[in-house]
Amino acid sequence: MAPNGVVSDKSLIVSFGEMLIDFVPTVSGVSLAEAPGFLKAPGGAPANVAIAVSRLGSKASFIGKLGDDEFGHMLADILKQNGVSGDGILFDQGARTALAFVTLRADGEREFMFYRNPSADMLLTPEELNLDLIRSAKVFHYGSISLIVEPCRSAHLKAMEVAKESGALLSYDPNLRLPLWPSADEARKQILSIWDKADIIKVSDVELEFLTGSNKIDDETAMKLWRPNLTLLLITLGEKGSMYYTKYFHGSVDAFHVNTVDTTGAGDSFVGALLCKIVEDPTILENESKLREVLKFANACGAITTTKKGAIPALPTEAEVLALINGA
């Protein structure tokens, strides 16, 4: 540790953005109005990624703002209990921690209703950022929800800039949540506004269609999202696995077939696994056979995460992942 309490070695993965509580119905396949009750499920994609990284044995830190309320302190404790450094967490006295009510459809997919008006995560300012923590990151990971409103948008852009200047790899998972944006056009515009800053971008098949306007999932469509700045572009296809694109090669890796209960957090688990492996060995980005092995590992992480309800309880350890890979 450095004297200021910030992890000083260059193996740290810093996640930036929102952490919230999903309220998930106790019964699957019903509307929110019909749900007899709800369970609290801590979430927020960047926070899920941080915990995924920590559970796989790598160093993780989270930067974001929570409400100075019971839910906010509960979320901060969950990060700590899961080995994620809390050096970047702030509490807002005036705004609540964000909440989302989630419908689990019969097929395990989700629909959302958000309570953020405004929530604490939206009120993070550039001046409040822990710049030492950002400068110590080997990988700086973020989504697009933090781009929706000021002042959080400016904090996000500043954090990206500082991370880039310090030599971090920038990792971007847009994590489209349309109900949070003023319009679909605005979402597309803002998500793409920082596209040329990232080194690694991961999108889902649904996001690929949304951003390109094409309903085909093929190389031609994927290449519409390629930019010269990118080292790696990934498209996740759920039970169909994932596609990868680099400057030198491209291809696809099959998924693992499991009994899916809840898809929440599968993409975050995939990203966490990928980032852990890149920190361990950055040469995987130039070596196709190594990258394919890593994506197989990441696919296994994503698959395991769908076998339990909620994101955080379902995020796997390395031993669980290897058991699935070796048993397959």
Side-chain angles (χ1 to χ4, degrees), residues 55-56 297 304 316-326:
R55 201 159 289 172
L56 289 169
F297 183 89
I304 291 168
T317 61
E318 180 124 8
E320 289 172 312
V321 181
L322 295 176
L324 176 63
I325 291 172
N326 296 329

Side-chain angles (χ1 to χ4, degrees), residues 197-218:
K197 299 278 193 284
D199 299 294
I200 298 163
I201 294 179
K202 173 249 153 190
V203 292
S204 69
D205 43 6
V206 174
E207 289 157 350
L208 176 69
E209 185 174 334
F210 175 77
L211 292 169
T212 61
S214 165
N215 60 3
K216 287 199 186 80
I217 298 169
D218 55 18

Side-chain angles (χ1 to χ4, degrees), residues 255-309:
F256 289 85
H257 291 286
V258 291
N259 182 19
T260 294
V261 174
D262 176 9
T263 58
T264 310
D268 305 325
S269 182
F270 175 93
V271 170
L274 173 77
L275 298 181
C276 284
K277 295 299 182 188
I278 289 170
V279 164
E280 280 173 28
D281 179 8
T283 67
I284 68 160
L285 295 167
E286 287 119 43
N287 180 319
E288 188 168 12
S289 63
K290 279 187 184 178
L291 180 63
R292 289 182 66 83
E293 279 304 305
V294 165
L295 292 177
K296 187 176 169 185
F297 183 89
N299 282 350
C301 280
I304 291 168
T305 308
T306 70
T307 60
K308 293 183 197 163
K309 268 196 182 179

